[in-house]
Amino acid sequence: IMHPDDLPRFAAHAARLRELADGEVILFAYRMRRAGGSWRWFESREIAFERGEDGAVRAIIGAATDVTEARQSAAERERLLAAEQAARARAEAMQRLTAALAPSLTATEVAQRFVDAVWESTGATQVWIGRLADDHQWFERLASRGYSPEQLVLWGRFPATGALPAVDAVARQETLTFTSRRSSSCARSSRPTR
């Protein structure tokens, strides 16, 4: 049984078969369901084999090849290429960050350049970096991107205890690893930072 999505294309293919020129080979890729219910991709190559007295194609000859694995390999190659391009973009963003940090900068300038690099390389919708104030009572924003002015009023400075798990972790000098691109989740490590 041919895949329902391929049937309209097959009708056009059948019309082309009736109009084949001598020696013309046409290709058609389609899916067929196996007895077990899985779908396999096939590619057929067909040529006019016999013509009637009026010159119309009466018979064709062709061969079909199962190309499922080749299509899967091509899709995997495309996925790997996209992943490689994304990794290259992140590496280039980090190189730009390193070059930007080379001159003598303030902590706020370094933080803003880091935030910008994370924003560009990860596709994050919000990036925020802060520091624990010297008195260890307040957590203060150094740089951010993607926050509204109203959010920045709320997140500009807040108590360092009990506000957020991440803030508590920083206050305890634990290492934080942020893992989500579309949310502000984080994972905590129990190892103290130095």
Side-chain angles (χ1 to χ4, degrees), residues 65-125:
T65 305
D66 186 332
V67 294
T68 305
E69 283 80 15
R71 281 182 163 255
Q72 290 169 344
S73 294
E76 179 64 10
R77 277 192 304 277
E78 288 176 22
R79 186 193 68 73
L80 290 172
L81 180 59
E84 178 185 350
Q85 289 169 341
R88 186 174 291 124
R90 285 191 301 274
E92 289 169 358
M94 290 300 124
Q95 286 175 344
R96 287 191 305 274
L97 175 63
T98 301
L101 296 178
S104 177
L105 300 173
T106 67
T108 301
E109 291 169 329
V110 170
Q112 188 60 57
R113 290 185 186 193
F114 181 79
V115 162
D116 291 344
V118 170
W119 176 274
E120 291 170 12
S121 66
T122 67
T125 57

